[in-house]
Amino acid sequence: MTLTPRESVLALVTAAILATVATGAFLAPKIERWREQRQEMAVAQSDIALSRSLVAARERWIGEYRELSRNIPRFAADQKMDIHWLSIMDRAAAKNGVKIIRRQALEQVRQGSLYELPIECQDWEGSLEALVRFLFDLQNQDAMMDVRQLMIRPRGRGVLRGRFSLACIYTRAEHGADPGKETP
């Protein structure tokens, strides 16, 4: 049986189409995987660039840490910290006319050489001016105190009520360390 030229061309075109479809079906998952790998490579290159910039900035961050660590109060290893921080907060509140109704010091959390004592003030009351002055006084203490969360709602004419979370940061002197650097 002989094929006419038209049939030969049709056979060749059909074979080419079948070869293309088979190649596409075979290569499609490989192409998709190649695209995924290119995306992963771009993310990895971005992570490497970020890591390199962080390593390059290491000395700057160490310098900033040393600068800030001078302001972090240091206490004896056995000193109860909740009384200390609550009294600072209570004095600032009383001085500025903020009435703290309910408050509670939570467990201290150690993060490396730093300690954090969270204080939850579940209920306070005062005017906007009193609150601003209170927060300003907390910020200006010789201490590391950070208001992490503050919720305010009106209670009546000129009176606000709410709650806040206060984080108190400090270090502890190791036993046998220089007691002259401890804060009373």
Side-chain angles (χ1 to χ4, degrees), residues 5 8-9 30 45 49 69 73 81-82 91 94 96-98 101 105 117 124 139 143 153 166 169 182:
S8 296
V9 169
K30 304 235 185 270
Q45 287 174 337
S69 67
M81 297 312 304
D82 55 346
R91 279 193 307 266
N96 293 294
V98 173
I101 301 165
L117 181 74
W124 62 267
Q139 189 68 34
R153 63 185 179 279
L166 183 65
I169 309 297
E182 295 174 7

Side-chain angles (χ1 to χ4, degrees), residues 38-139:
R38 283 190 55 158
Q39 288 175 344
E40 290 172 6
M41 186 174 73
V43 169
Q45 287 174 337
S46 173
D47 288 347
I48 289 170
L50 176 62
S51 295
R52 284 185 177 154
S53 68
L54 289 173
V55 168
R58 182 176 190 263
E59 292 303 316
R60 181 178 66 110
W61 289 114
I62 288 173
E64 283 188 38
Y65 172 75
R66 286 185 181 135
E67 178 79 24
L68 290 173
S69 67
R70 285 185 244 161
N71 298 330
I72 299 173
R74 183 179 203 134
F75 297 93
D78 57 350
Q79 185 173 352
K80 284 193 59 86
M81 297 312 304
D82 55 346
I83 296 169
H84 174 77
W85 295 111
L86 287 170
S87 66
I88 289 175
M89 184 184 74
D90 290 343
R91 279 193 307 266
K95 174 183 169 188
N96 293 294
V98 173
K99 182 179 177 185
I100 296 182
I101 301 165
R102 286 185 321 173
R103 65 181 177 41
Q104 176 184 6
L106 304 176
E107 285 292 316
Q108 74 178 358
V109 178
R110 183 176 184 172
Q111 297 176 355
S113 62
L114 298 176
Y115 290 85
E116 177 181 312
L117 181 74
I119 297 175
E120 292 293 326
C121 179
Q122 295 94 358
D123 200 6
W124 62 267
E125 196 173 272
S127 68
L128 178 60
E129 183 179 341
L131 175 65
V132 170
R133 289 179 187 270
F134 167 67
L135 293 174
F136 184 78
D137 274 357
L138 283 182
Q139 189 68 34

